[in-house]
Amino acid sequence: MKKLSLIVAATLAVTTSAVLAATSPATATFQVLITVAKACSVVAGAGSNINFNTVDSSATNLSANNNISVTCSKTTPYNIGLLPSNNDTTGLGQMKPATGADRVAYQLRSVSATGPVWGSTATATAVGNGVAGTGTGVAQTIPVYATVADANVTPGAYSDTVTVQVNY
């Protein structure tokens, strides 16, 4: 019996050592995960105002331009629409004075003062009459042009607000 106890004790000692040796060091794995969603932002505001400055009421065929800034995630396609406050989807706006009935009509355009009309029919999947781009992860400067056929209105200061919409 004593011999059997020694054999069992020896077997347990060897088995325990083997189990400890086989699991030291113990290892496991895990993952570090992230899902990056596409995103875009646009900067306009006072720094993007298009200012025709002071002109005579006899002035015709005026053009002016400025820039907006769009930042979209790398490789994210986007389409930009512009909507004057009169909600004209073709980008044909009207500058108004603080008081009075006169209006100065203007047309928003892309590429140049004689370039394509820039309106607000762009969607996330179609450029429409907007401007298309692809994100680089850094700010991209987008020029906006406006033209005025004539300034034959009552003298004074005229303005309008344009909404920029980046669809992605």
Side-chain angles (χ1 to χ4, degrees), residues 24 43 58 77 85 101 106-107 109-110 117 123 136 140 147 160:
S24 178
V43 176
S58 61
S85 68
Y106 67 91
Q107 178 65 62
R109 297 183 177 277
S110 63
V117 166
T123 67
T136 62
Q140 295 174 295
T147 56
D160 191 32

Side-chain angles (χ1 to χ4, degrees), residues 4 20 23 31 35 44 60-61 64-65 85 93 95 123 128 142 146 148 155:
L4 182 59
L20 290 177
T23 60
Q31 296 177 324
T35 300
T60 59
N61 299 318
N65 68 289
S85 68
M95 292 180 273
T123 67
I142 313 292
V148 169

